[in-house]
């Protein structure tokens, strides 16, 4: 079962954390990063390797990683090289 959590909007992006209960009782995390609308919608889904003891921690991590992806994408080239 996949759990949906609070979405976060940053500029043109919608960050949606997703968590999934694993067979061992821990939670896996993914994050959807969507931009655009209609036929111009782009949706990237990052499946994250870490697992978590609780659903809230997995959702928090997924949101943080989505925001980090957006920040990295929009950082000046000189900041990425540092």
């Amino acid at each position: 079962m996949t759990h949906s959590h609070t979405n976060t909007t940053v500029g043109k992006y919608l960050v949606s954390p997703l968590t999934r209960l694993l067979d061992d009782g821990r939670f896996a995390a993914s994050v959807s990063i969507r931009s655009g609308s209609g036929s111009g919608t782009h949706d990237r889904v990052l499946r994250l390797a870490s697992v978590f003891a609780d659903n809230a921690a997995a959702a928090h991590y997924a949101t943080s990683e989505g925001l980090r992806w957006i920040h990295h994408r929009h950082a000046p080239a000189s900041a990425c090289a540092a």
Side-chain angles (χ1 to χ4, degrees):
M1 177 178 194
T2 301
H3 301 276
S4 183
H5 300 276
T6 303
N7 298 332
T8 303
T9 301
V10 178
K12 67 178 185 174
Y13 296 100
L14 177 65
V15 177
S16 303
L18 303 168
T19 61
R20 184 171 48 92
L21 180 61
L22 302 173
D23 291 338
D24 65 3
R26 296 183 299 168
F27 290 84
S30 299
V31 62
S32 164
I33 304 164
R34 182 174 292 182
S35 64
S37 62
S39 62
T41 300
H42 296 278
D43 193 6
R44 289 168 178 79
V45 177
L46 307 177
R47 293 184 182 175
L48 306 167
S50 299
V51 292
F52 301 87
D54 65 78
N55 193 28
H60 178 75
Y61 181 75
T63 300
S64 296
E65 289 298 298
L67 295 174
R68 189 164 69 133
W69 184 91
I70 292 168
H71 176 74
H72 179 74
R73 182 159 174 101
H74 292 282
S78 60
C80 293

